Amino acid sequence: MPIDTLAHEIGRIARNDGPCLTELPDLTLFRSSLKTEPTPCIYALGLTVVAQGGKQVTAGEQVIDYGPGQSLLTAVDLPVIGQVTRADLARPFLGLVLTLDARALVQAAAEMDRPPLPRDPAPRAISRCETEAPLLDALIRLVRLLGEPQLIAHVAPLIRQEIMLRLLCGPHGPYLRHLLAAGSPSHQIARAMAWLKQNFTGDVRIDDLAASVHMSPSTFRQHFRGLTGMSPLQYQKQLRLQEARQLMLSHDLDAGSTAARVGYESASQFSRDYSRLFGAPPQRDIRRMRHPGEGGVEPAMP
């Protein structure tokens, strides 16, 4: 079966637990011999495929379980909580993440002769579908290409283009095309989310943000929650906390100075929000991230 072939190819390259970076910057393989703890992270625009084992992703109020042969398409940058739910030494979790290029997707969608989008399905920032055999075949060829480094620069762009076209034409297509359609409510919300990602440290007036995408505040909030499963302020808070965690890991900053850098006026409020999201106060969380064996934290799929 194609999914077994993909699992074999991933397992042949990803020999150790955790993310496996490849010669293709947009392709990351993953292996885990153990179930993992729920881990907050941000999914960028991309395709995540489970080849073996199982995973659960929580995005706002949406909880998604998926296993071998199933894929998630994330159409916007979205804070989620991910967890490997099925894995052991005999049959480790195996999967991949392929980051997609937004401009290339927009261009590919514009050049395709597709029927008008239906009102349903309701646009979502993240969708789960069965991965069709032709798409799996393209992903297998992309992974196998890692064994032919002399061909990567010439062949990888062709396979990427095929993958994008199959995504636009396949079960993920309606969700993805809703997000790409200029002027659609989903596209307008995606624009607002992109602005928030660049300006999350400042004070945000939702009324002004809604006006910038030509929506009333109530309509804006409704569409934002419908797409992401969370409110605009919840989205901003998660962006702040994810950035804070990376700052403390990368630059050895204390919680107080980090809180100020990501836009918090109160260090105590920052600590409370941080503990709710990551399950421990900042210093303790960073300590267990740096020494996972002491805190029971296992690597999580990006």
Side-chain angles (χ1 to χ4, degrees), residues 77-129:
D77 291 344
L78 190 67
V80 303
I81 297 175
Q83 179 180 18
V84 172
T85 53
R86 295 197 301 278
D88 57 40
L89 290 172
R91 288 183 63 82
F93 176 91
L94 298 169
L96 64 80
V97 177
L98 180 66
T99 304
L100 301 172
D101 182 273
R103 291 183 180 178
L105 274 170
V106 170
Q107 181 176 348
E111 294 173 354
M112 294 179 69
D113 184 18
R114 301 293 296 168
L117 283 167
R119 290 186 177 275
D120 290 319
R124 294 177 182 172
I126 188 167
S127 61
R128 176 192 59 197
C129 294

Side-chain angles (χ1 to χ4, degrees), residues 203-245:
D203 291 332
V204 175
R205 283 180 46 83
I206 300 304
D207 289 8
D208 293 342
L209 192 55
S212 73
V213 294
H214 312 292
M215 291 183 184
S216 69
S218 60
T219 300
F220 177 76
R221 289 184 176 89
Q222 178 185 351
H223 282 296
F224 198 103
R225 184 174 287 278
L227 185 65
T228 67
M230 63 190 78
S231 71
L233 292 180
Q234 287 172 325
Y235 182 79
Q236 180 195 32
K237 181 186 292 186
Q238 292 217 24
L239 292 177
R240 284 179 169 181
L241 294 171
Q242 294 280 3
E243 175 67 11
R245 197 184 209 192

Side-chain angles (χ1 to χ4, degrees), residues 32-36 50 52-56 65-70 83-89 91-94:
S32 180
S33 301
L34 299 168
K35 299 176 183 178
T36 64
V50 172
Q52 184 172 282
K55 196 160 192 288
Q56 183 179 92
D65 290 287
Y66 64 122
Q70 295 181 316
Q83 179 180 18
V84 172
T85 53
R86 295 197 301 278
D88 57 40
L89 290 172
R91 288 183 63 82
F93 176 91
L94 298 169

Side-chain angles (χ1 to χ4, degrees), residues 92-275:
F93 176 91
L94 298 169
L96 64 80
V97 177
L98 180 66
T99 304
L100 301 172
D101 182 273
R103 291 183 180 178
L105 274 170
V106 170
Q107 181 176 348
E111 294 173 354
M112 294 179 69
D113 184 18
R114 301 293 296 168
L117 283 167
R119 290 186 177 275
D120 290 319
R124 294 177 182 172
I126 188 167
S127 61
R128 176 192 59 197
C129 294
E130 295 294 328
T131 313
E132 296 178 309
L135 178 56
L136 281 175
D137 177 67
L139 292 168
I140 290 167
R141 284 185 276 116
L142 189 65
V143 175
R144 283 178 172 167
L145 188 62
L146 297 172
E148 301 178 278
Q150 72 278 10
L151 295 179
I152 286 178
H154 306 286
V155 179
L158 303 178
I159 302 178
R160 286 194 196 99
Q161 181 72 8
E162 178 185 350
I163 288 170
M164 286 191 297
L165 293 173
R166 293 195 180 281
L167 285 172
L168 288 165
C169 292
H172 286 296
Y175 298 101
L176 186 55
R177 289 165 60 218
H178 267 293
L179 268 293
L180 297 175
S184 70
S186 301
H187 181 74
Q188 299 294 77
I189 295 298
R191 282 181 52 210
M193 293 172 70
W195 187 90
L196 275 172
K197 191 180 178 187
Q198 296 297 319
N199 300 276
F200 62 84
T201 59
D203 291 332
V204 175
R205 283 180 46 83
I206 300 304
D207 289 8
D208 293 342
L209 192 55
S212 73
V213 294
H214 312 292
M215 291 183 184
S216 69
S218 60
T219 300
F220 177 76
R221 289 184 176 89
Q222 178 185 351
H223 282 296
F224 198 103
R225 184 174 287 278
L227 185 65
T228 67
M230 63 190 78
S231 71
L233 292 180
Q234 287 172 325
Y235 182 79
Q236 180 195 32
K237 181 186 292 186
Q238 292 217 24
L239 292 177
R240 284 179 169 181
L241 294 171
Q242 294 280 3
E243 175 67 11
R245 197 184 209 192
Q246 289 303 314
L247 284 172
M248 287 186 287
L249 275 171
S250 304
H251 301 290
D252 200 26
L253 298 177
D254 62 76
S257 57
T258 302
R261 286 185 62 166
V262 299
Y264 273 85
E265 295 181 1
S266 166
S268 59
Q269 183 62 52
F270 166 73
S271 184
R272 287 193 294 271
D273 288 346
Y274 191 103
S275 297

